[in-house]
Amino acid sequence: PGFQVKWSGVKGGAVTSGFTAVGFKLIVPFDISNTDGIDPTNNVTNFTIRDSFMSNGDDVFAIKSCDDNVKCSTSGPVTNGTIQNIHKYSGLGISVGAATGSNVSDIDVNNIFCDGPHGGGKLNNTADTCIKIKSPSDGGSGGIVNNIKLRNIYIQNEGAAIRVYPFYNCSGTAPTFTNLLFQNITLGSNPGSVTVQGFDSDHE
């Protein structure tokens, strides 16, 4: 359990730039929780992940501008990321969040093939997701999530195809989602549900 790759800048320090991962296969047991694939986190920019195959038991990618469960406005934003030409199999999705308190912007996710399932090989497990944009959990702080492009994505055999939800067990501050682009999304067989959730009456 734990991150397979976590690329992180220094909280409050100079921005860390230039991470690139190309042409790999990452296979982690699907039935072990918190086995994130690659997580760009905290004060990073200009990262590229492409031409690869991913299968694991938690977020395939989790793009976060701070660590979970903290109020993190001083951590530093995550900006200018490209994720493209990825085959995603088992796993809980390509995720922006949970923790976004220092803001996330200018992320281009392009040419993705999602084919679950997760959860012991069972189809339609709601945890198994292709694309997630979500809030912090457990009292953390949500920031501005801006200019996220999700393009040319094929989805099949997932519990949830797309989930956009500002309340993910959220007792903290909900994030603000702006300029989210979904373009050329194809739902194949058993693609799962699509959820786009806005603010509720307690978050105006």
Side-chain angles (χ1 to χ4, degrees), residues 178-196:
T178 62
N179 298 317
L180 307 183
L181 172 67
F182 294 87
Q183 185 178 69
N184 194 24
I185 309 295
T186 301
L187 303 180
S189 60
N190 301 305
S193 60
V194 175
T195 300
V196 178

